[in-house]
Amino acid sequence: MNDKVYSIGIDCGSTFCKGALYSKGEVRALAVKPTGWNIAVTGSQIMNELLECRGLSPDVPVVATGYGRDKIPAARTITEITCHARGAE
């Protein structure tokens, strides 16, 4: 499978951590978990769940936003305001 056509977006808030796997402008998979006490673990679980559902390698680009965005391993971080602005373009 060509990992380069996929990307992952994760929003890790104080209550829930949500993730979406995108390919060619369409959502291919979703994952949601309560954030719990360890944001880094929950963020990794979300990322792994999305990768595993399509048999993808960890090289898929990941962007994270939300309260726990700095705790998501290997993710480029973006503020919520930036996400809203880009989504409105």
Side-chain angles (χ1 to χ4, degrees):
M1 190 161 294
N2 186 355
D3 294 1
K4 294 183 191 235
V5 299
Y6 288 92
S7 62
I8 293 175
I10 296 177
D11 175 29
C12 205
S14 61
T15 307
F16 282 93
C17 195
K18 293 89 52 191
L21 178 69
Y22 292 93
S23 177
K24 299 180 182 178
E26 293 186 28
V27 176
R28 303 298 178 165
L30 297 170
V32 178
K33 291 187 178 295
T35 301
W37 294 103
N38 193 327
I39 294 169
V41 168
T42 306
S44 291
Q45 289 171 343
I46 291 285
M47 191 165 54
N48 290 334
E49 186 176 322
L50 293 170
L51 292 170
E52 289 172 7
C53 77
R54 299 286 182 176
L56 300 171
S57 74
D59 297 332
V60 172
V62 179
V63 174
T65 190
Y67 172 78
R69 67 182 175 266
D70 295 327
K71 305 284 188 209
I72 309 300
R76 184 174 142 225
T77 61
I78 300 177
T79 67
E80 290 87 347
I81 300 296
T82 303
C83 287
H84 295 312
R86 289 187 184 165
E89 290 180 340

